Amino acid sequence: MSQRPRIAVIGAGIGGLAAAVELAAKGCDVTVLERGSVPGGKMRELCAGDAAIDSGPTVFTMRWVFDELFRSAGTNLDDELSLARADLLARHAWLDGSRLDLHADVERSAAAIEAFAGAGEAAAYRRFAADSEAIYETLADTFMRREKPNPVSLGMSLGIGGLPRLYATKPFRTLWSELGRYFDDPRLRQLFGRYATYTGSSPFSAPATLMLIAHVERAGVYYVEGGMQRLAEALVRIAKNHGAEFRFSTGAAELRTDRGRVTGVLTESGDELPVDAVVFNGDVDAFGRGLLGKAVARAVPSRSKEPRSLSAITWSLVAEADGFPLDHHTVFFGDNYPAEFKALFEASTITDMPTVYVCAQDRENAAVPGGPERLFLLVNAPARPHRERELDAAEARVQALLSRLGLDLDLGAEDVVRFSPDDFAERFPGTGGAIYGWPTHGMMGSFRRHGSRSRVRGLYLAGGSVHPGPGVPMTAISGRIAARAVLGDLGRDG
């Protein structure tokens, strides 16, 4: 193809932005359509009064993903963003008054765990840390970067000795049961079991492979100066520098096809954009729901009857946070973890004492702001419609838990912004309110996500509902995989 390929990217989430950067840097004529007014997708700021608060992803990890992406576009991550590495990864608190800080340094965490639960648990943590690193090293290249691996191709890519290494990623045991082989203290199982929720899953059903998330955080959690939204803005800036066009407040109404190939995008305002390819950065269930027209309704196999991942209720506010020594990331645990996930995935409700995550955005590496500060709170919730009284009841439970631990916040104040599963469903069509696509349950859960190529020629997929899964770095990888597929199919990969 001699002329510049015309590529439409639908959705300016991180996956779409990564694809736009990659494609524009390779000389494609890229137009990004975003129904929202700003880039970032679920990476977003909400305003409580005059304060802009990170109200989506709050951690920057797997820095290498963005180092590679920025270099591919002829720039450098450190030239585009100001990052500070966290020494303390997260503070954890329980109703019995106990607290535990996890650090990026294994030995500092082991020392904290020894003081918290004894020398035996500290030794167990060292084994856990080594095993989680080994799982990550096995899968970083062979699984995360591949277009759509399956167990056979994954085993083959590991070469001689591949099967033992694949078995060592622990796909046949649940995260919760495997944690029981390391830790006797139920609080530590609770702490490390929470990593399953990073994929919208239950530790009682997710494979122990998700232990790798523990290593991802130890390898580097960063604060982005000015907030996470600056990452999305940097990607827009880089894509524009390579000629990409962005149309905000412009959604895609329908994809047009001719003889089984995508040829155009009809916008919600009635404009038609002729294209050679489309990268769709959104929930793939949007196709089956008919949200992009009949011609592409069967672009991916339907999973509409399968349970969706977790959603959340969130609160964004500015308040005095006295009575508990918050860190940038603090997790408050309830007293019955099995009941919490049974409620979420079986009863489709929220337990009486749910786990509460608090991001104190103005606290970085132990710095404590004076006076009111920006806070973001999250509690997991089922992906379904919620009545106002359910949300109010959940809010009361969250306040009760925090109050028992010394942190009194008025979540019902006038300038608090509450976001519910219903809001997620409206803001992100096709999701039904789910934040992470489908849960990673069972040994095949990670392999069931769709790859970057759809059934329709010229239509490619990116985002958290496709491989390699949800999370900021993973969706960026999905965008790069989709871009490489586009370039390869158009003969532009050289």
Side-chain angles (χ1 to χ4, degrees):
M1 181 176 292
S2 58
Q3 65 178 13
R4 287 164 55 92
R6 300 163 300 177
I7 315 295
V9 176
I10 299 174
I14 295 302
L17 293 175
V21 167
E22 194 93 0
L23 291 165
K26 291 291 187 179
C28 297
D29 185 357
V30 177
T31 302
V32 182
L33 304 176
E34 167 55 51
R35 67 194 298 265
S37 59
V38 295
K42 297 184 182 75
M43 179 183 289
R44 68 201 193 285
E45 291 177 328
L46 296 178
C47 289
D50 295 329
I53 302 169
D54 276 345
S55 300
T58 57
V59 293
F60 183 99
T61 60
M62 293 174 64
R63 174 186 169 133
W64 60 266
V65 173
F66 295 96
D67 279 327
E68 291 181 0
L69 175 60
F70 281 51
R71 282 198 300 269
S72 75
T75 185
N76 185 283
L77 179 60
D78 289 321
D79 292 337
E80 302 289 347
L81 289 174
S82 180
L83 303 175
R85 186 165 179 173
D87 298 321
L88 197 160
L89 301 179
R91 178 160 293 156
H92 306 83
W94 287 264
L95 288 169
D96 62 4
S98 58
R99 297 176 190 167
L100 176 63
D101 289 349
L102 274 190
H103 301 271
D105 180 74
V106 170
E107 287 306 314
R108 286 191 68 187
S109 290
I113 289 172
E114 182 168 352
F116 176 78
E121 297 296 78
Y125 171 72
R126 292 186 182 95
R127 294 194 303 273
F128 171 79
D131 289 348
S132 63
E133 181 176 4
I135 293 172
Y136 173 84
E137 293 296 337
T138 296
L139 298 177
D141 289 331
T142 59
F143 180 80
M144 296 179 193
R145 294 176 184 262
R146 302 292 176 100
E147 181 175 342
K148 192 180 187 316
N150 57 54
V152 174
S153 67
L154 179 55
M156 292 178 64
S157 67
L158 292 170
I160 297 174
L163 286 180
R165 289 182 66 194
L166 187 58
Y167 183 79
T169 65
K170 306 178 185 291
F172 302 108
R173 292 179 61 85
T174 67
L175 179 58
W176 187 259
S177 65
E178 188 67 14
L179 290 172
R181 300 175 73 172
Y182 291 95
F183 304 109
D184 293 325
D185 193 306
R187 295 169 300 177
L188 293 175
R189 293 177 73 183
Q190 197 173 25
L191 188 161
F192 295 111
R194 181 176 170 270
Y195 287 129
T197 64
Y198 288 30
T199 67
S201 307
S202 164
F204 299 91
S205 300
T209 310
L210 294 185
M211 284 169 50
L212 65 83
I213 298 174
H215 174 71
V216 166
E217 291 203 335
R218 285 196 310 275
V221 167
Y222 296 85
Y223 309 125
V224 180
E225 183 179 329
M228 292 289 286
Q229 187 72 23
R230 308 294 82 75
L231 172 60
E233 292 170 357
L235 292 172
V236 170
R237 183 169 63 249
I238 294 166
K240 283 184 174 181
N241 287 342
H242 286 281
E245 177 189 358
F246 284 79
R247 301 184 188 180
F248 292 104
S249 302
T250 304
E254 184 180 347
L255 298 187
R256 299 284 174 81
T257 65
D258 181 38
R259 289 175 287 187
R261 182 177 186 86
V262 168
T263 57
V265 181
L266 182 68
T267 71
E268 291 175 343
S269 60
D271 297 328
E272 183 160 357
L273 190 67
V275 298
D276 298 300
V278 168
V279 176
F280 176 73
N281 177 209
D283 195 283
V284 295
D285 210 30
F287 295 109
R289 293 171 181 255
L291 301 182
L292 292 156
K294 293 181 180 179
V296 294
R298 302 173 72 103
V300 299
S302 175
R303 298 183 65 179
S304 61
K305 295 183 179 180
E306 298 180 32
R308 296 301 301 254
S309 74
L310 292 171
S311 186
I313 305 171
T314 69
W315 296 264
S316 304
L317 65 154
V318 176
E320 299 262 3
D322 297 325
F324 184 94
L326 292 171
D327 195 69
H328 193 105
H329 307 290
T330 305
V331 182
F332 298 90
F333 287 107
D335 55 5
N336 192 332
Y337 223 39
E340 180 169 348
F341 287 93
K342 186 175 182 179
L344 287 167
F345 283 99
E346 296 182 24
S348 192
T349 188
I350 300 172
T351 194
D352 289 341
M353 281 289 170
T355 299
V356 181
Y357 165 72
V358 179
C359 177
Q361 185 176 339
D362 298 316
R363 301 189 183 213
E364 297 184 4
N365 286 329
V368 179
E373 58 185 299
R374 294 174 294 172
L375 302 172
F376 171 67
L377 283 71
L378 180 148
V379 62
N380 293 315
R384 62 162 178 80
H386 284 66
R387 295 190 175 117
E388 199 70 19
R389 65 171 180 268
E390 290 182 281
L391 300 175
D392 291 341
E395 188 171 286
R397 293 170 190 162
V398 168
Q399 291 195 150
L401 175 71
L402 297 178
S403 181
R404 285 180 60 179
L405 287 159
L407 182 62
D408 289 313
L409 298 172
D410 183 6
L411 299 182
E414 183 177 345
D415 58 352
V416 175
V417 180
R418 185 169 72 185
F419 215 77
S420 73
D422 302 68
D423 297 315
F424 282 108
E426 180 180 359
R427 175 68 182 83
F428 304 105
T431 64
I435 299 176
Y436 313 89
W438 286 267
T440 306
H441 287 170
M443 66 166 290
M444 294 300 293
S446 296
F447 295 103
R448 298 203 61 220
R449 297 189 186 98
H450 205 282
S452 62
R453 289 178 169 90
S454 75
R455 290 170 169 172
V456 178
R457 286 181 295 130
L459 174 58
Y460 302 83
L461 312 170
S465 66
V466 301
H467 176 77
V472 173
M474 294 297 203
T475 55
I477 291 172
S478 78
R480 299 199 72 194
I481 292 173
R484 289 198 300 269
V486 172
L487 294 168
D489 291 349
L490 294 178
R492 303 277 296 200
D493 52 350

